[in-house]
C-alpha cells in the first residue's frame, strides 16, 4: 500500500485509469503541504479501500471526463487541408476507452456493494434506492395533482362552455398537500440514511 491520506482528498488519475490485476486502482492523492510557500503536491499511489461515497464521487468524475473527451474528439475529428488538427482524435479515443473501463469497473463494484449492504428496515441499499426513486415520483405526482386541482397548472384538457362557468376541483387539495408534505419528510429522512450509509460502507471488489 502507498501513502494513506484523508479520504476526501482521493481523486482518480486521469487519463491513466487502468485497473490492476489484484483489484486495486491508481488514484492521485492531493497532499496538503504544511509550508504555505509550497501549497499542495500530488502523490500517485494505489488505494484498495474506498468508501461507497468515494466510489460514487469517482464515478461522477469519470462521467464528466468522458463528456469532456467526447467534446474534444468531436472538435478534432476533422481538420482543414494544409493544417494540423488541434488534437490527436485517435489518441483521445484511446484515452476515453481507458476512462470508460474504469467507469464500468466502478459501476460494477457500486452495484455489488448496494446489493449486499444492509440499511436498517429498508433492507439493502438497492432496496433503499428503489424506495427513494419511488418516493420522488410519488411526491412529484401528488404535488402536480394538487397544483392542477387549484388551477396552478395549465396543462391538461379543460372543457369550458362559457367563460362565466365556475371551475371546480375534482380532488381534495388539502389532503393532497398533506400527503405531499409527508412524502417530502419521508424522502428527506431516507436520503439522510442513504448518505450516511454511503460513508460507512466499504466498496466491495
Amino acid at each position: 500500500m502507498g501513502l494513506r491520506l484523508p479520504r476526501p482528498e482521493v481523486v482518480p488519475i486521469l487519463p491513466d485509469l487502468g485497473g490492476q490485476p489484484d483489484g486495486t486502482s491508481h488514484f492521485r492523492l492531493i497532499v496538503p503541504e504544511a509550508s504555505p510557500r509550497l501549497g499542495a503536491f500530488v502523490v500517485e499511489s494505489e488505494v484498495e479501500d474506498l468508501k461507497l461515497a468515494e466510489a460514487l464521487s469517482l464515478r461522477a468524475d469519470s462521467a464528466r471526463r468522458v463528456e469532456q473527451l467526447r467534446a474534444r474528439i468531436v472538435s478534432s475529428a476533422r481538420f482543414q487541408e494544409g493544417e494540423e488538427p488541434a488534437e490527436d482524435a485517435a489518441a483521445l479515443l484511446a484515452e476515453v476507452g481507458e476512462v470508460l473501463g474504469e467507469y464500468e469497473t466502478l459501476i460494477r463494484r457500486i452495484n455489488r456493494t448496494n446489493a449486499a449492504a444492509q440499511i436498517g428496515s429498508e433492507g439493502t441499499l438497492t432496496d433503499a434506492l428503489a424506495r427513494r426513486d419511488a418516493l420522488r415520483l410519488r411526491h412529484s405526482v401528488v404535488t402536480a395533482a394538487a397544483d392542477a386541482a387549484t388551477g396552478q397548472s395549465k396543462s391538461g384538457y379543460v372543457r369550458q362552455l362559457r367563460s362565466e362557468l365556475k371551475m371546480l376541483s375534482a380532488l381534495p387539495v388539502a389532503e393532497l398537500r398533506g400527503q405531499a408534505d409527508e412524502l417530502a419528510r419521508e424522502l428527506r429522512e431516507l436520503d439522510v440514511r442513504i448518505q450516511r450509509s454511503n460513508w460507512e460502507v466499504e466498496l466491495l471488489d
Side-chain angles (χ1 to χ4, degrees), residues 92-122:
L92 291 174
L93 278 172
E95 183 177 339
V96 79
E98 295 177 1
V99 178
L100 285 170
E102 178 69 11
Y103 180 73
E104 179 180 349
T105 298
L106 283 170
I107 291 176
R108 290 176 183 272
R109 296 181 66 184
I110 288 168
N111 289 345
R112 284 195 291 269
T113 304
N114 285 339
Q118 296 292 319
I119 179 173
S121 61
E122 283 80 16

Side-chain angles (χ1 to χ4, degrees), residues 5-204:
L5 293 162
R7 283 193 164 91
E9 301 299 321
V10 179
V11 296
I13 293 178
L14 295 173
D16 181 16
L17 288 170
Q20 302 303 302
D22 60 359
T24 64
S25 298
H26 284 297
F27 297 91
R28 278 201 180 103
L29 305 183
I30 308 302
V31 185
E33 171 58 48
S35 171
R37 293 184 297 104
L38 298 178
F41 61 94
V42 176
V43 175
E44 293 189 5
S45 180
E46 289 183 356
V47 178
E48 291 180 346
D49 299 329
L50 284 176
K51 296 295 186 183
L52 178 57
E54 296 168 331
L56 293 170
S57 177
L58 292 174
R59 183 185 65 178
D61 289 341
S62 295
R64 284 191 293 269
R65 179 64 173 167
V66 168
E67 285 303 309
Q68 293 170 356
L69 288 169
R70 184 193 64 81
R72 291 165 59 188
I73 291 168
V74 170
S75 65
S76 302
R78 290 172 62 87
F79 62 97
Q80 190 171 3
E81 183 180 5
E83 296 184 359
E84 292 294 327
E87 295 185 88
D88 187 340
L92 291 174
L93 278 172
E95 183 177 339
V96 79
E98 295 177 1
V99 178
L100 285 170
E102 178 69 11
Y103 180 73
E104 179 180 349
T105 298
L106 283 170
I107 291 176
R108 290 176 183 272
R109 296 181 66 184
I110 288 168
N111 289 345
R112 284 195 291 269
T113 304
N114 285 339
Q118 296 292 319
I119 179 173
S121 61
E122 283 80 16
T124 65
L125 265 172
T126 297
D127 296 329
L129 293 171
R131 175 63 176 166
R132 185 177 66 178
D133 288 345
L135 283 172
R136 285 173 175 169
L137 286 174
R138 187 182 298 273
H139 179 266
S140 175
V141 170
V142 171
T143 301
D147 289 343
T150 57
Q152 296 181 28
S153 174
K154 299 300 182 182
S155 61
Y157 175 73
V158 178
R159 185 176 63 182
Q160 185 171 350
L161 299 178
R162 293 186 296 271
S163 60
E164 65 271 13
L165 289 179
K166 182 179 181 180
M167 299 298 298
L168 301 177
S169 173
L171 295 170
V173 176
E175 181 180 334
L176 289 174
R177 295 297 189 199
Q179 290 180 20
D181 290 342
E182 179 62 22
L183 288 168
R185 181 194 62 78
E186 186 177 352
L187 180 58
R188 287 193 302 270
E189 292 176 354
L190 178 59
D191 193 58
V192 167
R193 292 194 292 274
I194 290 174
Q195 297 303 325
R196 183 187 301 119
S197 296
N198 287 344
W199 283 107
E200 293 173 350
V201 173
E202 295 284 347
L203 186 69
L204 298 180

